[in-house]
């Protein structure tokens, strides 16, 4: 049992942190206000290899593991949760589907450019009427010759505004329920695939999150992942992995807010002394750091289990459930510690508080996490 | 062992111009030379540079070694290392000092490795350990957060590079004597491994404000684009960059990439001039670690003044244009330790005297003797005091000691040991008379106490109206240790300042006390860091000058006279001088201005 | 060409803060980094490697075992192999003793050119580079900002406060590089993972003893000794001047500028 990072992990953490401080932090406020992700920044992150961390060198990835990936998620999310989700959806949801379930040809054609930093991916599962109940998919796929013809619509598709590669889930057999869902790799510029306007949101506003309209979209047969009816299983597996990323994102948001607050309370003087000298401040900070460390250990536990090829869906659910709650509580308390300045847009904590909320919702709500955890406990 | 204990100072010249740091090192070397009892030797390397030797003597060198050779025209590591190493090896100096410049920091290490001795980099203070006469070198470490004292006990010479700008140069003394020695060095075996192809004189333009050494920041108070243009000019005159607060960026006066603060850049320049910036915490967070912060703002309660080293309450549009001119002028004139408009009284050997804009500077100038008072020095002080008595144009007199070590270390005992009774009485009478006259001057007399103020030195300090001490200063009346008692006013003035208890303790024990202790017992008004002493005293003088001069003089008179009488009589004196105020126009203007809520203009009444 | 780069692991002094209440240094939680000037040295070495075919970069650090991470980072940046010079006997070395040890190690490894950073941010001495060159009896140029290869020599731009010298210096030689030497490129995740596989070698006193005099290393071989250290006194309260005329205000500001040696 050992809670220490290896020297390579420390070096990576340090590198992510420096990159985030220097490249992402200065843009975070502007990107949030303009509700637009900076594509130059995206390219810089791709060049540094942030979009292919846990994928093998053989396919152009960095050859690292899930631990290396969650360290990145935390450091990036410390300064900007939108950057975190942009990496996470690409890595955990899109790439993992192809890496875990794709054929060699599919990997060469689609995974390689995604993980070597030349293309961006997204994951279209949620529909207007199928959220937590992902089995209620209405998008249909009908085989006609060598092509499937897809029709329907998707919502909340992160990265869709600039993605090159989509994983789209559609029903190939209505009668079979979740066993009738299939997964397809779709190129972003395919006719019949229309990405709508960015959805106005409360938080993670810099990330791209659009409605996707699918009208007679022709997808070559060979772009189906595995076989017909295996799509739902693919989606669930991807989401299990994704939740570790969201757990790490939550830890990052919380730690980022706490760091801001700690700096502020040391400098801010009221009643003749730094507010850090008041016991209320000290106790609040001690409680928050303890919770964040707890959440981080849960994230690392899940990541290590995944790297060790052990069962981890319950561990992923726990780290996301707890992490997202901590992120919400901590950011709210940090805004309070900064008082009026915390509420103002001059300081980043209000953005962090808005950003934190989504972690309790996407890639499975907290309620769904509890179902998963309870299920694993067989009660 | 060889007895030579000289202090060598590497004199840095570029294009035949001696760099300021070299003058500063000569000043510091002079105070060290006193403690180890040897001479200060300036070493100047270059081509056709012999003419500069005289200047070095005027600034404190006892001897100048000149190595004049075409190969030394531009700095090159090997030729300079060879020359210095040979001089060091043949003369065995005790200490060698270099400026911590890009030359000194290249040359020093190479020499230290060649002769295998220690080198302490970037020192900010030097002193001699009284026990073994070794050099203690203090330097910042850990990004300036920690100060370390370093010694080099078993190797000679002890070498250090000294940060420019921290040591005090001596005032130029054209009568100073010294010798100049030309030494020939053989450079014939220097190969062609390294050659200079081209010399490019330029300053690379820095556009990232975070990399700029000097930043002029503007805020809401700047008012408009035109005024920002003026800040731009100030910045470019200084060779720095202009920056702004969020308010200035939002007003469109300046680009967003020049914003300093929470949502902008974090900057740490050597100098930050904040113009019309109120100093909200978001802005301050981005600049508070600057080396020096000067703030100009109309509103005297602006929080920017809390972090400023110097705050000036005033209007930027009137202050900045003449400031730009003054900077241009200063840059054009280069190094000059004596104010250009000052008047130097010739014929005085032991003191320097000059005046500028209502302030007179009286400097006791015998740094080699720790400014000890002898008969001649006392006479010269007396002569200057006589001049000041009728000097209407001066309101503040600053008394200080030359060099970095002593204000005045006492009376010159070497001259006293052979005195008979009559001569003893005469010197006491002379000193008492001169000090009493100084005390009674109509002007305000401020003592800037930079180092030892012992015996006659403390007595001179006590004859000043206000005493400001450097943290390096030491005070005492050690006469009893020599079988004497204080004779220049010490038994009388000291008790009137600190009370009989402390006065007796100090005089009976003869022990020295620190500046902090002197502050605690009320002997000095304030203790400040050594490098800030001149500035604090100047600022104080400026504050006094901005007030009505007649009122200040009358107030001094009233306090002085009242100090010697009972309260009733004192109040009568005050009543007399208060009444006196109403006879002049100055008070009319002062009160009128107060009622009209404007600043009084006392200038016309001086 | 055999390029040797010396790096030092230093605490990130830009993050050092004083406890506002006790006025003592907060040492806890300060990150260790590769000294910025040394990083510039690595960039310079990479640039040199690009210019001279068949070059190999060896990175060397002297320090405790924790300095391995600095070497790993250098390897991730593109250096080919790393050496950690480490021994209890080396502890307590001042700049002269440090340069003596490093010079021995460099001699043992062999080189055509040595690149060091100009100075380290923890000590700011700028001494070790020139001292190594002196021990090895090779020429050096410090404060180097740019360079290019010119046959059997380098043409370098040497920075001074007021000028540059364009200097031709023959191999073998030593350069000390300044931060801002080209753009510091970021690592890549793949580079870091790859570096894990590159070899780190170790040199201790035993390995170097033929080249070292025991009296010239460690505490014993250090001419300079620390007498004491203390935290700097806190910034004193500033001065606020009001009611000045324009000339007085200008004088007050000018006095500050002169005192701060800005003019």
């Amino acid at each position: 049992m050992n809670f220490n990072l290896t020297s390579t992990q420390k070096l990576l953490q340090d590198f992510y942190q420096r990159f985030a401080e220097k490249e992402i932090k200065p843009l975070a406020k502007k990107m949030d206000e303009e509700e637009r992700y900076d594509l130059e920044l995206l390219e810089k992150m791709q060049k540094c290899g942030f979009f292919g961390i846990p994928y093998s060198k053989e396919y152009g990835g960095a050859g690292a593991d899930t631990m290396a990936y969650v360290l990145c998620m935390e450091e990036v999310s410390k300064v900007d949760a939108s950057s975190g989700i942009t990496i996470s959806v690409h890595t955990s949801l899109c790439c993992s589907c192809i890496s875990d379930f794709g054929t060699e040809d599919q990997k060469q054609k689609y995974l390689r450019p995604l993980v070597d930093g030349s293309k961006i991916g997204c994951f279209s599962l949620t529909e207007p009427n199928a959220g937590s109940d992902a089995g209620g998919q209405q998008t249909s796929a009908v085989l006609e010759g060598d092509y499937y013809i897809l029709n329907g619509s998707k919502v909340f598709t992160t990265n869709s505004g600039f993605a090159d590669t989509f994983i789209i889930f559609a029903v190939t057999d209505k009668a079979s329920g979740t066993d009738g869902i299939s997964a397809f790799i779709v190129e972003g510029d395919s006719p019949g695939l229309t990405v709508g306007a960015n959805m106005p949101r409360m938080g993670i506003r810099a990330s791209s999150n659009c409605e996707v309209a699918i009208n007679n979209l022709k997808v070559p047969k060979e772009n189906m992942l595995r076989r017909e009816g295996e799509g739902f299983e693919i989606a669930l597996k991807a989401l299990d992995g994704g939740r570790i990323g969201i757990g790490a994102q939550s830890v990052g948001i919380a730690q980022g807010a706490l760091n801001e607050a700690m700096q502020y309370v040391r400098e801010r003087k009221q009643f003749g002394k730094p507010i850090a000298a008041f016991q209320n401040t000290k106790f609040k900070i001690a409680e928050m750091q303890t919770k964040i460390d707890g959440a981080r250990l849960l994230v690392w536990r899940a990541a290590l289990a995944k790297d060790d090829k052990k069962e981890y869906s319950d561990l992923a659910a726990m780290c996301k459930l707890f992490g997202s709650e901590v992120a919400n509580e901590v950011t709210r308390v940090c805004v309070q510690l900064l008082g009026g300045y915390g509420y103002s847009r001059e300081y980043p904590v209000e953005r962090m508080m808005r950003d934190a909320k989504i972690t309790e919702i996407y890639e499975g709500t907290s309620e769904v996490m509890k179902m998963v955890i309870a299920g694993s406990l067989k009660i | 062992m060889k007895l030579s204990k000289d202090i060598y100072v590497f004199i840095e010249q570029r294009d035949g111009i001696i760099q300021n740091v070299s003058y500063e090192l000569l000043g510091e070397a002079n105070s060290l030379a006193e403690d180890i009892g040897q001479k200060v030797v300036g070493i100047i390397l270059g081509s056709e540079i012999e003419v500069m030797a005289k200047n070095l003597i005027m600034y404190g060198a006892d001897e100048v070694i000149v190595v004049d050779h075409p190969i030394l025209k531009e700095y090159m590591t090997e030729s300079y290392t060879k020359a210095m190493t040979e001089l060091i090896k043949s003369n065995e100096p005790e200490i060698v000092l270099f400026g911590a410049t890009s030359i000194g920091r290249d040359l020093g290490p190479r020499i230290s490795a060649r002769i295998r001795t220690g080198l302490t980099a970037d020192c900010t203070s030097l002193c001699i350990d009284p026990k073994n006469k070794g050099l203690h070198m203090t330097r910042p470490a850990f990004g300036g957060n920690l100060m370390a004292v370093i010694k080099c006990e078993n190797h000679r010479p002890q070498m250090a590079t000294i940060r420019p700008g921290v040591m005090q140069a001596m005032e130029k003394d054209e009568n100073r004597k010294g010798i100049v020695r030309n030494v020939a060095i053989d450079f014939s075996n220097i190969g062609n491994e390294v050659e200079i192809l081209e010399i490019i004189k330029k300053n690379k333009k820095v556009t990232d404000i975070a990399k700029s050494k000097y930043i002029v920041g503007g805020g809401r108070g700047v008012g408009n684009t035109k005024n920002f243009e003026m800040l731009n000019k100030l910045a470019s005159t200084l060779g720095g960059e202009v920056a702004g607060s969020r308010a200035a960026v939002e007003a469109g006066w300046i680009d967003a990439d020049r914003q300093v603060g929470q949502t902008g850049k974090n900057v740490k320049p050597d100098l930050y001039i904040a113009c019309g910036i109120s100093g909200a915490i978001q802005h301050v967070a981005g600049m508070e670690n600057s080396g020096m912060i000067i703030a100009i703002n109309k509103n005297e309660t602006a929080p920017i003044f809390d972090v400023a080293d110097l705050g000036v309450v005033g209007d930027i549009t009137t202050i900045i244009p003449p400031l730009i001119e003054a900077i241009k002028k200063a840059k054009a004139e280069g190094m000059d330790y004596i104010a250009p408009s000052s008047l130097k009284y010739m014929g005085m050997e032991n003191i320097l005297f000059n005046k500028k804009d209502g302030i007179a500077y009286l400097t006791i100038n015998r740094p080699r003797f720790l400014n000890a008072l002898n008969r001649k020095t006392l006479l010269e002080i007396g002569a200057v005091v006589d001049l000041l008595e009728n000097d209407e144009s001066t309101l503040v007199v600053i008394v200080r000691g030359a060099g970095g070590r002593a204000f005045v270390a006492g009376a010159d005992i070497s001259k006293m040991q052979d005195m008979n009774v009559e001569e003893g009485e005469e010197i006491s009478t002379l000193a008492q008379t001169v000090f009493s006259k100084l005390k009674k001057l109509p002007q305000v007399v401020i003592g800037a106490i930079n180092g030892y103020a012992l015996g006659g030195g403390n007595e001179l300090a006590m004859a000043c109206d206000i005493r400001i001490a450097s943290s390096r200063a030491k005070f005492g009346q050690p006469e009893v240790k020599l079988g004497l008692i204080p004779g220049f006013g010490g038994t009388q003035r000291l008790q009137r300042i600190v009370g009989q208890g402390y006065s007796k303790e100090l005089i009976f024990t003869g022990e020295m006390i620190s500046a902090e202790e002197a502050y605690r017992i009320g002997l000095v008004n304030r203790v400040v860091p050594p490098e800030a002493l001149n500035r604090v005293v100047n600022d104080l003088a400026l504050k006094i000058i901005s007030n009505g001069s007649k009122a200040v003089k009358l107030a001094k008179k009233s306090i002085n006279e009242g100090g010697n009488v009972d309260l009733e009589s004192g109040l009568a004196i005050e009543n007399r001088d208060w009444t006196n105020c109403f006879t002049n126009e100055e008070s009319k203007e002062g009160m009128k201005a107060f009622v009209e809520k404007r600043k009084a203009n006392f200038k016309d009444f001086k | 060409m055999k390029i040797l780069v010396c790096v030092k692991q230093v605490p990130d002094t830009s993050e050092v803060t004083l406890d506002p209440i006790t006025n003592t240094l907060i040492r806890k939680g300060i990150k260790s980094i590769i000294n910025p000037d040394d990083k510039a040295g690595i960039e310079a070495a990479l640039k040199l490697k690009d210019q001279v075919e068949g070059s190999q970069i060896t990175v060397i650090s002297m320090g405790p075992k924790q300095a391995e991470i600095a070497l790993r980072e250098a390897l991730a940046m593109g250096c080919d192999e790393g050496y950690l010079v480490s021994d209890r006997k080396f502890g307590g070395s001042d700049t002269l003793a440090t340069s003596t040890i490093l010079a021995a190690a460099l001699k043992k490894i062999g080189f055509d050119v040595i690149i060091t950073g100009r100075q380290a941010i923890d000590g700011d001495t700028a001494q070790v580079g020139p001292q190594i060159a002196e021990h090895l009896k090779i020429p050096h140029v410090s404060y180097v900002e740019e360079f290019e290869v010119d046959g059997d020599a380098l043409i370098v731009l040497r920075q001074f406060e007021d000028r540059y010298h364009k200097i031709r210096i023959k191999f073998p030689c030593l350069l000390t590089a300044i931060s801002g030497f080209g753009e510091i490129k970021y690592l890549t995740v793949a580079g870091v993972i790859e570096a894990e596989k590159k070899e780190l070698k170790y040199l201790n006193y035993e390995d170097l003893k033929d080249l070292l005099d025991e009296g010239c290393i460690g505490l014993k071989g250090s001419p300079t000794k620390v007498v004491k250290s203390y935290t700097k006194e806190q910034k004193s309260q500033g001065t606020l001047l009001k009611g000045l005329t324009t000339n007085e205000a200008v004088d007050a500001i000018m006095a500050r500028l002169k005192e701060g040696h800005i003019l």
Side-chain angles (χ1 to χ4, degrees), chain B residues 236-249:
Chain B
S236 61
T237 310
L238 282 165
E241 292 292 325
V242 71
S245 68
R246 189 175 52 89
V249 172

Side-chain angles (χ1 to χ4, degrees), chain B residues 301-356:
Chain B
T301 62
I304 190 76
F305 290 134
D306 295 341
V307 296
D309 298 283
L310 173 68
V312 176
V313 181
D315 184 351
I316 56 162
T317 57
T318 60
I319 294 173
I320 292 179
L323 180 62
I324 294 172
E325 291 314 309
I327 293 168
K328 278 187 185 161
K329 198 162 158 248
K331 285 203 156 181
E333 284 167 0
M335 145 102 196
D336 191 355
Y337 277 93
I338 300 171
S341 61
S342 75
L343 175 61
K344 184 162 175 179
Y345 289 77
M346 300 305 291
M348 293 196 192
E349 280 173 22
N350 297 339
I351 69 167
L352 295 166
F353 181 63
N354 48 61
K355 297 198 300 181
K356 195 187 173 219

Side-chain angles (χ1 to χ4, degrees), chain B residues 24 74 102 105-106 110 112 114 139 142 147 149 151 195 197-198 200 300 311 535 599 603, chain C residues 119 122-123 131 134 140 142 161 164-166 225 227-228 230 239 241-242 248 256 259 261:
Chain B
E24 294 158 14
E74 279 284 328
S102 65
R105 285 156 64 91
D106 183 78
R110 194 91 203 194
S112 83
R114 193 161 296 183
R139 66 181 309 266
F142 234 62
M147 303 300 286
V149 182
K151 63 180 177 181
E195 50 182 326
L197 303 178
E198 193 185 348
I200 308 154
E300 67 172 270
R535 187 243 311 155
K599 193 178 149 236
K603 294 295 139 189
Chain C
Q119 67 192 61
D122 56 345
Q131 287 174 337
E134 177 63 29
H140 84 269
S142 50
E161 286 84 350
Y164 290 91
H165 281 176
K166 194 183 238 184
K225 306 251 181 328
V227 181
K228 61 171 178 180
Y230 53 94
T239 315
L241 300 174
K242 44 192 172 183
E248 287 163 356
R256 286 289 178 140
E259 177 192 314
H261 274 252

Side-chain angles (χ1 to χ4, degrees), chain C residues 3-193:
Chain C
I3 307 163
L4 295 193
V5 188
C6 300
V7 301
K8 182 179 184 187
Q9 188 184 43
V10 295
D12 187 351
T13 53
S14 64
E15 288 196 356
V16 173
T17 45
L18 291 181
D19 184 317
I21 295 152
T22 61
N23 193 30
T24 50
L25 220 56
I26 303 175
R27 285 175 190 265
K28 196 174 169 284
I30 299 171
K31 274 207 307 276
S32 288
I33 55 170
I34 294 186
N35 176 50
D37 279 353
D38 299 349
K39 219 168 192 177
I42 298 173
E43 289 295 333
L46 292 168
K47 198 182 143 195
L48 187 57
K49 187 182 171 178
D50 283 346
Q51 289 184 27
V52 184
E53 230 171 285
S55 296
Q56 203 209 6
I57 305 175
T58 304
V59 58
I60 299 134
S61 186
M62 176 171 142
K65 195 163 171 9
Q66 298 92 283
E68 272 181 17
I69 192 167
L71 289 171
R72 287 262 169 242
E73 183 175 352
L75 295 176
M77 287 173 77
C79 295
D80 300 297
E81 59 167 0
Y83 279 92
L84 182 66
V85 181
S86 193
D87 198 301
R88 219 172 259 280
K89 283 200 164 77
F90 299 156
S93 293
D94 71 354
T95 61
L96 190 67
T98 300
S99 61
T100 306
I101 297 162
L102 278 171
L106 298 170
K107 198 167 179 182
K108 175 131 188 139
I109 300 165
F111 59 86
D112 295 304
V113 60
I114 300 167
I115 302 175
T116 72
R118 171 194 45 173
Q119 67 192 61
I121 52 171
D122 56 345
D124 279 322
T125 72
Q127 291 177 2
V128 172
Q131 287 174 337
I132 289 173
E134 177 63 29
H135 297 313
L136 295 171
K137 303 210 166 18
I138 56 171
H140 84 269
V141 179
S142 50
Y143 291 75
V144 172
E145 223 183 65
E146 287 169 22
F147 68 81
E148 58 190 64
V149 179
D150 179 40
D152 64 342
L154 285 170
I155 293 182
V156 305
L157 203 58
R158 196 273 198 212
Q159 187 200 72
F160 291 88
E161 286 84 350
D162 58 342
R163 69 192 66 192
Y164 290 91
H165 281 176
K166 194 183 238 184
I167 292 174
R168 189 173 194 279
I169 179 166
K170 285 187 187 159
F171 298 122
C173 61
L174 180 146
L175 309 181
T176 82
I178 305 184
S179 274
F181 199 106
E183 201 183 331
I184 301 278
K185 289 187 280 297
Y186 282 107
L187 299 177
T188 65
V189 181
V192 175
I193 302 298

Side-chain angles (χ1 to χ4, degrees), chain A residues 70-209:
Chain A
V70 297
L71 292 173
C72 178
M73 281 301 291
E74 177 178 346
E75 293 308 324
V76 166
S77 304
K78 262 188 196 173
V79 299
D80 180 34
S82 293
S83 296
I85 192 59
T86 304
I87 297 172
S88 166
V89 163
H90 168 97
T91 310
S92 304
L93 300 187
C94 178
C95 297
S96 72
C97 288
I98 307 175
S99 171
D100 293 350
F101 302 101
T103 62
E104 183 60 25
D105 285 348
Q106 286 170 339
K107 286 185 192 175
Q108 289 298 350
K109 186 168 179 195
Y110 294 106
L111 184 61
R112 177 175 292 282
L114 285 169
V115 301
D116 77 3
S118 34
K119 288 190 171 168
I120 295 287
C122 68
F123 181 87
S124 278
L125 175 68
T126 304
E127 297 188 1
N129 297 314
S132 290
D133 178 16
Q137 296 273 314
Q138 287 174 356
T139 300
S140 63
V142 179
L143 185 66
E144 281 184 18
D146 288 341
Y147 294 91
Y148 281 92
I149 308 297
L150 274 63
N151 276 291
S153 67
K154 298 283 177 182
V155 289
F156 300 126
T157 303
T158 303
N159 289 359
S160 50
F162 44 71
D164 306 285
T165 306
F166 287 60
I167 304 293
I168 296 181
F169 295 86
V171 179
T172 41
D173 177 7
K174 263 191 191 146
S176 302
T178 54
D179 288 342
I181 297 171
S182 304
F184 300 89
I185 306 170
V186 178
E187 291 177 21
D189 54 2
S190 306
L193 185 71
T194 315
V195 176
N198 205 2
M199 155 117 24
R201 273 156 292 136
M202 170 185 175
I204 53 163
R205 298 198 304 172
S207 70
S208 164
N209 193 305

